[in-house]
Structures are given as structure tokens and as C-alpha cells.
Amino acid sequence: MFAGEGSDSGFAELDDVSATAYGLAVESGRFVREHIAEQLSLSAAEIARVEQVLCGVRLLQSMPGNPSELTPVTPDVAAASLVAPAERHIRDLQQAVTDVRAKLLALTPLYFEGRRLRNRLEAFDIITDVPRIQAMLNHLTQNCNSEMLTVQPGGARPADLLANARQAALSTLARGVRIRTIYQHTARNDLPTRSYVRDVTHHGAEIRTADEVIDRLIIYDREVAFLPERSCGERAPGAAIVREPTLVAFLCSVFEYLWDGASPYVVESQRSAASSDELRWSIIRLMANGYKDEMVARRLGMSVRTCRRHIADITEELEATSRFQAGYNAARREMQAGRVLPPPG
């Protein structure tokens, strides 16, 4: 509400009586208090209030050389007179905002150059605060532009994590970002994982599985990589963040090596003989290398109980009385079939 000089009145105070008085003033060419008060049956106090209102909204202005005589002016002139100071103030503010924005934006190249140099210096960082890590992952996922590479070890993932991952993956795919993920073979038999894979691959994601993978790895746009923290003691593990281009390029090469050796995750044929044979052969290879049940289970992303069940089935099938004999018998069968057991390591 704009106020007039010497008055707190504004447009909201222009009531019907004041408007009628303005009309009478226009008819006579000037504001004659006594005449208008008589015409509208107004008291001295009421006509004084009407005069104050009309002056406040600039519909009455003093005659040059005779301040006591008021004449009506057109509404557009009154409006211009009333809002001109505010409009000038708005223009000044707009110009100030434009100047400040231009000065700050001029620093943009300096900011990005400084950030580039800082990132080079901070090529490797350890973040121990789990909520902060998740916030960083969410931010990078939302701002990923071209490609997201992920290695997820450990077999099946918890259903609640898959629900959040599904929403994030679908949103990322909708922006045209390529997503490639490597699981372990044991993830093929988990129903929630199969449902997740079915949904995201339908929208363009690429999923493969391998018997063994390296530890968890996430790479965004081949620029930033996340690795799990080591030696964290009793607290929850944090993450190592890699930004140095050479290190990130090496991790991308590791991912491509694993990707080339992995098998496509085809939901409709998860229980194929080939998949079961790959898992069986992986267990035999690790047994032949002398790994205990717990280590075999961890490397293949399954529970120890499930691993021992597989080992028992393999030992019985190979008619072996020991782990060593099972590995030996398996090697002989594979050699006879033209397949060579991989060397230890």
C-alpha cells in the first residue's frame, strides 16, 4: 500500500464516499469542501477525512501558487505520482541485483579452476561419516551425466536397499545415463534381486554376474570412484573417494576386465545349467586352492551354511573323502573333458 505525503492513506482507503466526492470535484473542476459536504450530507470531520483520502491517493493536488485550493487530476496522473518513487526504488534494486550477479558470475572460471586444482590435490580422501557418504552418493547419482559403473559383491542385497536403489536407478536411466552393474553368481537365485534386475534392465540397465569380484566399487562418469574403507575397527566402515584421473582410469580398466569375464544376468533363465556349473566350478577351484569354508563363502558371496551344502554335494558327487581328494577328482574329470583346472592364486 503506497502512502501519500503527510498521510497514511492508500488505495485500500478509497471508499465509496471518497470516490463520490472525487466525482463531484471533477464536475466542478475543483474540490470545494462546503459544496461537496452539502451535496453528500457530510459533517466537517467527514469531509476532512475525504479530503485526506483523496490527497493521499494523489487524486487531489494543490493549485500552483495557491496551496489551499485543490483540483482533481486524472487517475493515471494520480497513479504515476503515487507509484513513481516505488518504481524508482524497484529499478534501483534490480540494477543492484544485476550488478552483484555479474560481479559474482565473473568469478566462475576462477572457482572451477580452483576446484580442479583442489581435486588434484585431494586425489584420495577417506570419509568416515556414513550419513555424509550417503549424501555424497545421492548427489553424484543425481548429477551423473554419462555413465555409472558398479561392482556389488556379497550375493543378494537386502530388499530395503533394493527398493531405494530401484528408484535411483530408474531416475538416472531416464536422464540417458548408462548403468552397468556386476553382481556375483549367487545373486541370481534371490527373488528381490531378480525383480530389481528385471525392472532396471527393462529400462536400459546392463547387469552381469561373476563367480568372484573385487570389493565394492562405484564409479561416476569415469571421474570419481568410491571404494570401501579398510581397517575401520569396530565402527561402521567409511569410504575412500578417488578423484585422481590416473587412479580412476585404472579402476575403470579393472571394471572392464571384470565385465568382459562376467555373464549377462538374464532373469528368465536364472536356474540354467550353465550358471549352476559356473558356481560349482568356482567352489571346486577354491577348494583345490586350500580355502576354508568361510573363505569360500565370503569370496563367492554366499552364507557359510549354503556354501557347506554345496561342498557336501560336490564331495558326494565326486566320491571324495576329503577336500583335497574332491579337488583332485574334479581336476581329473575336467582334464578328461578337455577343461583345465585353473592354477592356484
Side-chain angles (χ1 to χ4, degrees):
M1 180 174 64
F2 300 105
E5 295 176 356
S7 172
D8 294 330
S9 298
F11 282 112
E13 298 177 352
L14 189 59
D15 54 277
D16 292 342
V17 174
S18 299
T20 303
Y22 170 72
L24 294 175
V26 172
E27 289 180 8
S28 60
R30 59 193 180 95
F31 186 81
V32 181
R33 300 172 184 81
E34 296 78 8
H35 174 70
I36 293 176
E38 180 181 353
Q39 291 289 318
L40 300 180
S41 301
L42 300 177
S43 65
E46 290 173 333
I47 192 63
R49 183 194 66 80
V50 167
E51 180 180 336
Q52 184 181 33
V53 169
L54 295 177
C55 288
V57 296
R58 303 293 199 275
L59 287 172
L60 294 180
Q61 296 186 9
S62 299
M63 287 284 292
N66 188 6
S68 62
E69 186 172 350
L70 302 174
T71 59
V73 298
T74 61
D76 58 333
V77 171
S81 174
L82 187 62
V83 303
E87 288 180 334
R88 284 194 300 271
H89 184 57
I90 291 173
R91 286 195 298 269
D92 292 342
L93 287 177
Q94 289 175 333
Q95 185 60 48
V97 168
T98 301
D99 293 343
V100 170
R101 179 180 286 112
K103 291 177 181 178
L104 292 179
L105 290 180
L107 299 176
T108 300
L110 182 63
Y111 167 80
F112 281 108
E113 176 63 15
R115 191 175 72 172
R116 184 184 67 82
L117 295 175
R118 182 194 68 194
N119 287 345
R120 177 170 295 179
L121 294 174
E122 298 176 353
F124 190 85
D125 197 8
I126 300 293
I127 307 296
T128 59
D129 182 56
V130 175
R132 182 184 171 193
I133 295 171
Q134 189 58 55
M136 294 177 67
L137 290 171
N138 293 341
H139 173 76
L140 288 170
T141 299
Q142 293 168 3
N143 292 276
C144 188
N145 294 317
S146 60
E147 187 177 37
M148 181 174 170
L149 310 176
T150 307
V151 177
Q152 293 285 3
R157 301 173 66 192
D160 57 331
L161 293 182
L162 286 175
N164 295 331
R166 176 185 286 104
Q167 182 177 0
L170 294 178
S171 175
T172 303
L173 290 166
R175 300 199 314 270
V177 176
R178 185 186 185 189
I179 293 180
R180 288 190 287 165
T181 302
I182 302 175
Y183 289 111
Q184 290 186 264
H185 287 326
T186 47
R188 292 174 175 264
N189 298 321
D190 180 65
L191 290 178
T193 303
R194 292 172 64 183
S195 175
Y196 166 80
V197 172
R198 181 185 295 108
D199 290 345
V200 298
T201 54
H202 178 72
H203 288 83
E206 301 168 71
I207 313 291
R208 293 186 180 183
T209 64
D211 54 352
E212 292 185 73
V213 296
I214 58 174
D215 217 329
R216 192 177 309 277
L217 170 65
I218 306 176
I219 305 175
Y220 295 95
D221 290 332
R222 297 181 178 263
E223 294 180 352
V224 182
F226 279 72
L227 296 168
E229 180 191 13
R230 297 293 188 182
S231 304
C232 58
E234 297 181 356
R235 63 175 174 80
I241 303 175
V242 181
R243 302 184 184 89
E244 204 286 319
T246 302
L247 293 177
V248 175
F250 172 77
L251 293 173
C252 289
S253 297
V254 172
F255 178 90
E256 296 295 350
Y257 176 81
L258 293 171
W259 182 261
D260 291 341
S263 304
Y265 193 135
V266 182
V267 177
E268 288 72 17
S269 58
Q270 295 312 307
R271 300 184 182 276
S272 65
S275 298
S276 300
D277 185 64
E278 287 180 356
L279 179 60
R280 173 180 174 277
W281 183 249
S282 299
I283 294 175
I284 293 173
R285 177 172 57 82
L286 294 174
M287 289 171 59
N289 288 343
Y291 289 107
K292 300 298 184 182
D293 297 353
E294 292 78 6
M295 182 59 69
V296 174
R298 187 175 71 82
R299 293 189 62 164
L300 297 182
M302 65 176 67
S303 67
V304 176
R305 181 178 179 181
T306 301
C307 178
R308 286 173 175 163
R309 186 171 66 249
H310 283 297
I311 291 174
D313 293 340
I314 292 170
T315 303
E316 180 180 355
E317 179 184 346
L318 295 174
E319 300 177 351
T321 59
S322 68
R323 301 167 66 91
F324 176 79
Q325 186 179 10
Y328 176 77
N329 291 349
R332 289 190 59 184
R333 288 192 182 185
E334 295 300 332
M335 290 178 67
Q336 292 171 358
R339 180 176 180 180
V340 180
L341 187 69

